[in-house]
Amino acid sequence: MKEKIDSLRQGFEQELAKAASSEAVEKLRVAYLGRKGSVTELLKGLKDVGAQEKKELGQHINQLKKQVEERLSQQVEAIRAAEEQREIDSAQQYDVTLPVGGALGSYHPITVVQRQLEEIFASMGFIVEDYNEIVTDYQCFEAVNIPKDHPARDMQDTYYLENGQLLKTHTSAAQNFILQKYGAPVRAIFPGRCFRNEATDASHETTFFQMEGIMVDKNISISNLIYFMKTMLSEVFERDVKVRLRPGFFPFVEPGFELDINCLICGGEGCSTCHHSGWVELCPCGMIHPNVLKMGGVDPEEYTGFAFGLGLTRLVMMKYGVKDIRDLNSGNLKALSQFRQA
Ligand code: FA5
């Protein structure tokens, strides 16, 4: 039996040297260590030998078994390492020290305009705040006076997460946070990405940017709101643009307005961007509802304020004459490189 063990060991090593894939190694494992494998059969054969011999042979067979197990896992590891090396060798090699050639990167036009707006508002004493994209139902709706089952929720088809949180549908979701953080008086803008389950068209995307602003102080009125909106638009467009203010309903402002801009794609004649109306909804706004101030920890008897929710992506479309909002989200470098700043 001793010779049998030695010849099995030799045979195993020869076969292992030829096993070049993990499947071949697995076959070998079954052939030697499986239920009917050669080593297992040897162990079974021990029952037919005497007690003294059994002890000695048992030790030899167990040594062989251990050796086979170790060699098999060594072979698996060697095959894996060789595969990894092959992948590395075949991957494209980059020399990171080479100077940049070809296309230069540039800021996205939305980032360019957002930064411009941040500078404009900062120069008028506004803080610039950042806020989460995943928010709670309370932040997005209840804290801005849209209780559960309020019909206003239907206007914002919302992506809910399994844990009950949601992708923010509007930057107003940060109003409560800002009021709680700074109290009154406060002037703040907070740009951010918003998400809605929209049917997309030339002026609607499922992912778009807004820039919210609030100003809360003693004696703030609609005149202040109009002043800041006018200043912002004339700074961004660097020319006179026609706007109109009409009543608009949002549960978190009272009174509320829709600020529309004369469509700069068609000059007001009507096109697919403005849905053939000549006007583009750009910046709803209004005087902050007392309930919103209260929930933000601000006394509405003492303070008033305005809020606006600028459609930043649409503003970019108007500023640069982009007819279709989808071009801005496409990641199409040919389209986006046109906005590269010198
Ligand atoms: C709101 O989101 C309110 N939170 C705005 C607000 C803030 C009102 C503060 C009053 C006070 P609305 O759903 O209308 O309102 O969106 C505001 C702006 O975001 C729109 O005028 C439009 O310019 C832009 N917008 C809305 N939905 C989309 C969309 N799917 N794609 C691109 N832009 C959009």
Side-chain angles (χ1 to χ4, degrees):
M1 197 173 220
K2 182 92 181 7
E3 291 80 54
K4 206 170 167 190
I5 296 172
D6 288 339
S7 89
L8 212 60
R9 179 178 283 118
Q10 258 184 12
F12 169 75
E13 284 297 337
Q14 280 165 4
E15 285 187 72
L16 187 67
K18 285 188 236 150
S21 68
S22 31
E23 291 79 26
V25 176
E26 177 57 18
K27 262 192 196 157
L28 215 53
R29 193 191 64 75
V30 174
Y32 281 82
L33 302 177
R35 264 194 318 132
K36 291 189 179 154
S38 322
V39 178
T40 318
E41 291 297 328
L42 275 182
L43 280 167
K44 281 184 200 161
L46 280 178
K47 66 178 186 323
D48 303 325
V49 295
Q52 183 54 36
E53 223 185 339
K54 189 186 266 183
K55 197 173 164 208
E56 200 189 323
L57 284 174
Q59 271 177 358
H60 283 303
I61 300 171
N62 276 326
Q63 262 173 11
L64 173 66
K65 190 177 173 209
K66 203 163 160 239
Q67 184 184 350
V68 169
E69 281 167 351
E70 278 173 9
R71 298 284 292 125
L72 285 170
S73 54
Q74 279 169 4
Q75 186 74 346
V76 168
E77 184 49 35
I79 290 169
R80 199 196 55 74
E83 271 168 13
E84 205 173 277
Q85 192 56 47
R86 257 198 308 280
E87 270 176 36
I88 293 170
D89 292 344
S90 65
Q92 209 176 341
Q93 304 284 314
Y94 293 104
D95 181 349
V96 290
T97 62
L98 282 176
V100 179
L104 284 173
S106 60
Y107 285 116
H108 193 283
I110 296 176
T111 307
V112 172
V113 176
Q114 180 182 320
R115 290 186 176 183
Q116 191 188 355
L117 283 163
E118 287 173 0
E119 266 179 38
I120 295 168
F121 277 99
S123 75
M124 298 190 288
F126 282 71
I127 303 157
V128 181
E129 266 284 354
D130 197 11
Y131 199 59
N132 308 338
E133 290 180 349
I134 295 177
V135 296
T136 61
D137 187 275
Y138 177 79
Q139 290 160 329
C140 199
F141 298 121
E142 290 184 46
V144 286
N145 210 25
I146 312 179
K148 289 204 169 36
D149 306 319
H150 193 288
R153 289 197 180 208
D154 293 347
M155 294 192 293
Q156 302 186 356
D157 197 351
T158 307
Y159 294 113
Y160 285 93
L161 307 183
E162 277 171 5
N163 66 4
Q165 291 186 311
L166 51 99
L167 300 184
K168 97 179 154 200
T169 54
H170 57 172
T171 40
S172 306
Q175 279 195 16
N176 184 261
F177 165 78
I178 305 282
L179 290 172
Q180 296 276 2
K181 181 170 174 185
Y182 295 103
V186 62
R187 295 176 188 201
I189 53 163
F190 28 107
R193 187 160 28 189
C194 305
F195 308 85
R196 294 184 196 173
N197 182 27
E198 299 267 14
T200 55
D201 60 26
S203 57
H204 290 85
E205 257 289 11
T206 52
T207 304
F208 57 97
F209 285 83
Q210 287 186 345
M211 200 189 77
E212 191 98 352
I214 57 170
M215 179 174 182
V216 179
D217 206 334
K218 290 184 175 157
N219 303 318
I220 296 294
S221 70
I222 296 172
S223 320
N224 299 103
L225 168 63
I226 293 173
Y227 167 78
F228 280 102
M229 295 298 94
K230 268 189 168 168
T231 309
M232 168 190 71
L233 292 173
S234 60
E235 293 265 346
V236 170
F237 288 102
E238 294 162 352
R239 62 182 156 128
D240 269 346
V241 285
K242 230 161 120 185
V243 294
R244 71 176 184 190
L245 204 61
R246 58 191 169 94
F249 174 72
F250 302 90
F252 33 95
V253 285
E254 182 57 42
F257 306 99
E258 286 281 4
L259 188 148
D260 303 332
I261 183 171
N262 197 233
C263 181
L264 297 176
I265 305 291
C266 60
E269 304 238 309
C271 64
S272 60
T273 310
C274 60
H275 292 249
H276 304 280
S277 69
W279 296 95
V280 174
E281 280 181 19
L282 187 70
C283 187
C285 48
M287 300 303 292
I288 303 178
H289 195 288
N291 287 353
V292 175
L293 291 176
K294 246 186 262 167
M295 281 186 274
V298 173
D299 182 0
E301 299 293 329
E302 199 180 348
Y303 291 99
T304 51
F306 67 75
F308 62 88
L310 172 71
L312 182 56
T313 309
R314 290 218 188 134
L315 180 73
V316 172
M317 291 172 71
M318 290 298 110
K319 182 172 162 82
Y320 293 118
V322 178
K323 288 188 188 134
D324 196 312
I325 193 169
R326 289 164 289 201
D327 289 335
L328 288 172
N329 276 11
S330 66
N332 179 344
L333 290 183
K334 204 167 160 200
L336 297 176
S337 61
Q338 297 172 67
F339 303 102
R340 188 176 300 141
Q341 306 279 295

Coordinates of all heavy atoms in Angstrom, one line a residue, residues 156 170 172 175 196 198 203-205 208 210 212 250 252-253 258 281-286 307-311 314 325, ligand 1:
Q156 N -45.9 67.5 -8.2 CA -44.5 67.0 -8.2 C -44.4 65.5 -8.0 O -44.4 65.0 -6.9 CB -43.7 67.7 -7.0 CG -43.8 69.2 -7.1 CD -43.0 69.9 -6.1 OE1 -42.3 69.3 -5.2 NE2 -42.9 71.2 -6.1
H170 N -37.9 69.8 -5.1 CA -37.6 71.2 -5.3 C -36.6 71.7 -4.2 O -36.5 71.0 -3.1 CB -38.9 72.0 -5.3 CG -39.8 71.8 -4.0 ND1 -40.9 72.6 -3.8 CD2 -39.7 71.0 -3.0 CE1 -41.4 72.2 -2.6 NE2 -40.7 71.3 -2.1
S172 N -37.0 74.1 -2.3 CA -37.7 74.5 -1.2 C -37.6 73.5 0.0 O -37.8 73.9 1.2 CB -39.2 74.7 -1.5 OG -39.4 75.5 -2.6
Q175 N -35.7 74.9 2.9 CA -36.1 76.2 3.6 C -36.1 76.0 5.1 O -35.6 76.9 5.8 CB -37.5 76.6 3.1 CG -37.6 77.3 1.8 CD -38.9 78.0 1.5 OE1 -39.7 78.1 2.4 NE2 -39.2 78.3 0.3
R196 N -37.9 64.8 -10.6 CA -39.3 64.5 -10.7 C -39.6 63.5 -11.8 O -38.9 63.5 -12.8 CB -40.1 65.8 -11.0 CG -40.0 66.9 -9.9 CD -40.9 68.1 -10.3 NE -40.5 69.2 -9.4 CZ -41.0 70.4 -9.5 NH1 -41.8 70.7 -10.5 NH2 -40.6 71.4 -8.7
E198 N -41.0 63.2 -14.5 CA -41.7 63.9 -15.6 C -41.7 63.2 -16.9 O -40.8 62.4 -17.2 CB -40.9 65.2 -15.8 CG -40.8 66.2 -14.6 CD -41.9 67.2 -14.6 OE1 -42.9 67.0 -15.3 OE2 -41.8 68.2 -13.8
S203 N -38.6 71.4 -22.6 CA -38.3 72.2 -21.4 C -38.5 71.5 -20.1 O -38.5 72.1 -19.0 CB -39.2 73.5 -21.4 OG -40.6 73.1 -21.5
H204 N -38.8 70.2 -20.1 CA -38.9 69.4 -18.9 C -38.0 68.2 -18.9 O -37.9 67.4 -19.8 CB -40.3 68.8 -18.7 CG -41.4 69.9 -18.5 ND1 -41.9 70.6 -19.5 CD2 -41.9 70.3 -17.3 CE1 -42.8 71.5 -18.9 NE2 -42.8 71.3 -17.6
E205 N -37.3 68.1 -17.8 CA -36.4 66.9 -17.6 C -36.7 66.3 -16.2 O -37.4 66.9 -15.4 CB -34.9 67.4 -17.5 CG -34.1 67.2 -18.7 CD -33.8 65.7 -19.0 OE1 -34.3 64.8 -18.3 OE2 -33.0 65.4 -19.9
F208 N -33.1 68.2 -12.9 CA -32.9 69.6 -13.3 C -32.4 70.4 -12.1 O -32.5 69.9 -11.0 CB -34.2 70.2 -13.9 CG -35.3 70.2 -13.0 CD1 -35.7 71.3 -12.2 CD2 -36.1 69.0 -12.9 CE1 -36.8 71.2 -11.3 CE2 -37.2 68.9 -12.0 CZ -37.5 70.0 -11.2
Q210 N -32.5 73.8 -9.7 CA -33.2 75.0 -9.2 C -32.2 75.8 -8.3 O -31.2 75.3 -7.8 CB -34.4 74.7 -8.4 CG -35.6 74.1 -9.2 CD -36.8 74.0 -8.3 OE1 -36.8 74.0 -7.1 NE2 -38.0 73.8 -8.9
E212 N -32.9 78.2 -5.0 CA -33.9 78.8 -4.1 C -33.2 80.0 -3.4 O -32.0 80.0 -3.2 CB -34.3 77.8 -3.1 CG -35.4 78.1 -2.2 CD -36.7 77.5 -2.7 OE1 -36.7 76.9 -3.8 OE2 -37.7 77.6 -2.0
F250 N -48.7 78.4 -4.5 CA -47.8 77.4 -3.9 C -48.1 77.5 -2.4 O -48.2 78.6 -1.8 CB -46.3 77.8 -4.1 CG -45.9 77.9 -5.5 CD1 -46.0 79.1 -6.2 CD2 -45.4 76.8 -6.2 CE1 -45.7 79.2 -7.6 CE2 -45.1 76.9 -7.6 CZ -45.2 78.1 -8.2
F252 N -46.6 77.3 0.2 CA -45.6 77.8 1.1 C -45.4 79.3 0.9 O -44.5 79.9 1.6 CB -44.3 77.1 1.0 CG -44.0 76.6 -0.4 CD1 -43.2 77.4 -1.2 CD2 -44.5 75.4 -0.9 CE1 -42.9 76.9 -2.5 CE2 -44.2 74.9 -2.1 CZ -43.4 75.7 -3.0
V253 N -46.2 80.0 0.0 CA -46.1 81.4 -0.1 C -47.5 82.0 -0.1 O -48.4 81.4 -0.6 CB -45.3 81.9 -1.3 CG1 -43.8 81.7 -1.1 CG2 -45.8 81.2 -2.6
E258 N -46.0 83.7 -10.3 CA -45.2 83.0 -11.3 C -44.4 84.1 -12.1 O -45.1 85.1 -12.6 CB -46.1 82.3 -12.3 CG -46.7 81.0 -11.8 CD -45.7 79.8 -11.8 OE1 -44.5 80.0 -12.1 OE2 -46.2 78.8 -11.4
E281 N -41.8 79.7 -18.0 CA -41.9 79.8 -16.5 C -40.5 79.7 -15.9 O -39.9 78.7 -16.1 CB -42.8 78.6 -16.0 CG -44.2 78.8 -16.1 CD -45.0 77.6 -15.5 OE1 -44.5 76.8 -14.7 OE2 -46.2 77.5 -15.9
L282 N -40.1 80.7 -15.2 CA -38.7 80.7 -14.8 C -38.5 80.7 -13.3 O -37.7 80.0 -12.8 CB -38.0 81.9 -15.4 CG -36.5 82.0 -15.2 CD1 -35.8 81.0 -16.0 CD2 -36.0 83.4 -15.6
C283 N -39.3 81.5 -12.6 CA -38.9 81.8 -11.2 C -40.2 82.0 -10.4 O -40.5 83.2 -10.0 CB -37.9 82.9 -11.1 SG -37.3 83.1 -9.5
P284 N -40.9 81.0 -9.9 CA -42.0 81.3 -9.0 C -41.5 81.9 -7.7 O -40.3 81.6 -7.3 CB -42.6 79.9 -8.8 CG -41.8 78.9 -9.6 CD -40.6 79.6 -10.2
C285 N -42.3 82.7 -7.1 CA -41.8 83.3 -5.9 C -43.0 83.8 -5.1 O -44.2 83.7 -5.5 CB -41.0 84.5 -6.3 SG -41.7 85.6 -7.6
G286 N -42.8 84.4 -4.0 CA -43.9 84.9 -3.2 C -43.4 85.3 -1.7 O -42.2 85.1 -1.4
A307 N -39.5 84.3 -0.8 CA -38.8 83.2 -1.3 C -39.0 83.1 -2.8 O -40.0 83.5 -3.3 CB -39.3 81.9 -0.6
F308 N -38.0 82.6 -3.4 CA -38.1 82.3 -4.9 C -37.5 81.0 -5.2 O -36.6 80.5 -4.5 CB -37.5 83.5 -5.7 CG -36.0 83.7 -5.5 CD1 -35.1 83.0 -6.3 CD2 -35.5 84.6 -4.6 CE1 -33.8 83.1 -6.1 CE2 -34.2 84.7 -4.4 CZ -33.3 84.0 -5.2
G309 N -38.0 80.4 -6.3 CA -37.4 79.1 -6.7 C -37.1 79.1 -8.2 O -37.9 78.7 -9.0
L310 N -35.9 79.7 -8.4 CA -35.5 79.9 -9.8 C -35.2 78.6 -10.5 O -34.5 77.7 -10.0 CB -34.2 80.7 -9.8 CG -33.4 80.9 -11.1 CD1 -34.2 81.9 -12.0 CD2 -32.0 81.5 -10.8
G311 N -35.7 78.4 -11.7 CA -35.4 77.3 -12.6 C -34.1 77.5 -13.2 O -34.0 78.1 -14.3
R314 N -33.5 76.1 -16.8 CA -34.2 76.9 -17.8 C -33.6 78.3 -18.0 O -33.5 78.8 -19.1 CB -35.7 77.1 -17.4 CG -36.5 75.9 -17.4 CD -37.9 76.1 -17.9 NE -38.6 74.8 -17.8 CZ -39.8 74.7 -17.3 NH1 -40.4 75.8 -16.9 NH2 -40.4 73.6 -17.1
I325 N -33.9 71.2 -23.4 CA -33.2 71.0 -22.1 C -32.4 69.7 -22.1 O -31.4 69.6 -21.4 CB -34.3 71.0 -21.0 CG1 -33.7 71.0 -19.6 CG2 -35.2 69.7 -21.1 CD1 -34.7 71.3 -18.5
Ligands
FA5_1 C1 -41.3 74.9 -7.3 O1 -40.6 74.0 -7.4 C2 -41.4 75.8 -6.1 N1 -40.7 75.1 -5.0 C3 -40.8 77.1 -6.4 C4 -41.0 78.2 -5.4 C5 -40.0 78.5 -4.4 C6 -42.2 78.9 -5.4 C7 -40.3 79.5 -3.5 C8 -42.4 79.9 -4.5 C9 -41.4 80.2 -3.5 P1 -42.1 74.8 -9.8 O2 -42.6 73.4 -9.7 O3 -43.0 75.6 -10.6 O4 -42.1 75.4 -8.3 O5 -40.6 74.8 -10.3 C10 -39.9 76.0 -10.3 C11 -39.2 76.2 -11.5 O6 -38.3 75.1 -11.7 C12 -40.0 76.2 -12.8 O7 -40.5 77.5 -13.0 C13 -39.1 75.8 -13.9 O8 -38.3 76.8 -14.3 C14 -38.2 74.8 -13.1 N2 -38.7 73.4 -13.4 C15 -39.7 72.8 -12.8 N3 -39.9 71.5 -13.2 C16 -38.9 71.4 -14.2 C17 -38.5 70.3 -15.0 N4 -39.1 69.1 -15.0 N5 -37.5 70.5 -15.8 C18 -36.8 71.6 -15.8 N6 -37.1 72.7 -15.1 C19 -38.2 72.6 -14.2

